[in-house]
Amino acid sequence: MPTAKLLFFLVAAAALCSCGGNQELHVDDATKAALLSVAQKPPELDTAVKNVTKECMKKKGFSYDPPAIPQDSADANLGGIIGLRGLDQARQNGFGDIAIIRDPPPPEDSLKPEDKALNEALEGDYGDSESITLSNGIVLDSPKNGCAAEAKRAVFGSVTNHLWMDNIEQDVKQAVGEIRNDSRISQASIKYASCMRQKGVDVNTLKDTMRRAEEKFQHSRRLGDPPSAEEISLAVTDAECQQQAELAKVTNDLVISKGAQWIKEHEKQIMELAQVRKESLARAKTILNRS
């Protein structure tokens, strides 16, 4: 009997250990908040970089106004949702990511000498760069000289910080893999579609809404031109339904849940980047206040 009891105890303990090992790792609230903060970039950061770049180029004798980057998402977007937008951005900028015309840069061999001089002042020597390596081995780099680099250092502290702030979501995404078929995403998409239909827009998915916006508004205005009332109306409806269905929250929570192992392994880097973001935003606000 003692032997049978011992055997039962060992089997039960093994079962408990096996069950516990299949549980998803837990990401603590502080790390989760840090990652979400890094993935949510206030527009002041890009605006400050733009202003410093313009000032630097002026000192070098060039009249250069960097193109503004339309800000369409107010939420962290760890899942890389195409078309995610916040309500304030929808009211102010409609479907700026679709509607605004962006002229492609001219080919290098067609540039005039004065254009090449401007590019050199802006970008410096592209062979002299700073780089980061993502978890999957992809190397991303950016020039460390020129006015663009000077502006990134002025706001983010270093070009490397800027590279990580721009690409940390990509690193998380590749660690997590495909999530579109997860039931949690499907349920949020159903809620989104239901909300859109209740508001008079007959679509099944966010992708359908983006297609409709492309049909109506693609390349319809220049940067700086205000969106039409029709564009704002559809964008606001879209943003409200995204918010009601919690598309961003559901996706972010799913990425954090599935990427818990990667997040734990990179916890120190995530916390450091959250501090970089905080300091960068403070520097950006100082720059904008003096402009």
Side-chain angles (χ1 to χ4, degrees):
M1 285 296 291
T3 303
K5 287 183 178 179
L6 178 60
L7 181 61
F8 174 81
F9 173 80
L10 291 174
V11 170
L16 285 172
C17 291
S18 174
C19 178
N22 290 330
Q23 291 178 351
E24 290 182 334
L25 289 172
H26 174 70
V27 177
D28 66 66
D29 290 343
T31 305
K32 178 178 178 179
L35 180 58
L36 291 174
S37 76
V38 171
Q40 191 277 321
K41 299 176 184 64
E44 291 93 336
L45 296 175
D46 283 328
T47 304
V49 168
K50 178 180 182 290
N51 288 6
V52 175
T53 303
K54 187 175 180 179
E55 292 170 4
C56 174
M57 292 294 284
K58 186 176 181 180
K59 290 177 184 176
K60 293 188 178 186
F62 295 96
S63 178
Y64 176 75
D65 191 15
I69 301 172
Q71 302 291 325
D72 286 307
S73 174
D75 298 302
N77 190 6
L78 294 176
I81 302 174
I82 297 174
L84 187 69
R85 73 193 73 252
L87 194 51
D88 287 343
Q89 280 77 7
R91 291 189 181 113
Q92 296 166 15
N93 200 33
F95 288 95
D97 48 334
I98 290 171
I100 293 172
I101 300 168
R102 292 175 181 79
D103 296 323
E108 183 68 27
D109 57 8
S110 73
L111 294 178
K112 300 174 183 177
E114 57 267 31
D115 294 329
K116 290 182 178 179
L118 184 147
N119 278 358
E120 187 176 340
L122 179 64
E123 300 289 352
D125 178 6
Y126 204 90
D128 194 9
S129 61
E130 295 185 29
S131 65
I132 62 172
T133 303
L134 302 184
S135 299
N136 59 0
I138 291 177
V139 177
L140 304 172
D141 62 9
S142 181
K144 67 178 182 181
N145 298 312
C147 286
E150 182 175 318
K152 290 168 187 174
R153 279 192 293 271
V155 176
F156 292 92
S158 73
V159 173
T160 300
N161 283 345
H162 180 264
L163 278 168
W164 274 119
M165 288 286 291
D166 258 10
N167 293 284
I168 188 69
E169 303 104 307
Q170 183 179 336
D171 217 8
V172 181
K173 268 181 67 182
Q174 68 83 27
V176 171
E178 184 57 68
I179 62 171
R180 283 178 296 181
N181 297 326
D182 190 280
S183 61
R184 286 165 280 189
I185 298 290
S186 300
Q187 289 166 10
S189 295
I190 290 169
K191 289 180 183 177
Y192 168 80
S194 175
C195 173
M196 291 293 282
R197 291 194 198 101
Q198 287 173 11
K199 292 176 180 288
V201 184
D202 188 15
V203 295
N204 293 318
T205 64
L206 176 57
K207 189 178 288 187
D208 288 345
T209 304
M210 297 294 287
R211 275 195 287 262
R212 181 169 297 195
E214 286 173 357
E215 291 168 2
K216 287 177 172 289
F217 312 117
Q218 189 171 40
H219 300 165
S220 59
R221 57 188 172 92
R222 292 277 177 184
L223 187 65
D225 293 342
S228 66
E230 184 183 13
E231 183 184 335
I232 290 176
S233 176
L234 181 58
V236 167
T237 299
D238 173 37
E240 287 175 343
C241 287
Q242 287 187 33
Q243 192 175 74
Q244 185 172 314
E246 297 187 312
L247 280 182
K249 182 181 185 305
V250 168
T251 308
N252 288 334
D253 287 348
L254 180 58
V255 169
I256 289 171
S257 172
K258 287 183 171 290
Q261 182 63 49
W262 183 94
I263 292 168
K264 282 191 166 294
E265 291 170 359
H266 293 78
E267 188 172 28
K268 182 173 182 289
Q269 180 192 22
I270 291 166
M271 299 305 286
E272 288 173 350
L273 279 176
Q275 184 62 28
V276 166
R277 179 194 183 277
K278 181 179 178 181
E279 294 170 358
S280 300
L281 185 55
R283 285 192 290 263
K285 288 179 177 178
T286 298
I287 290 166
L288 295 176
N289 285 337
R290 75 171 185 235
S291 300

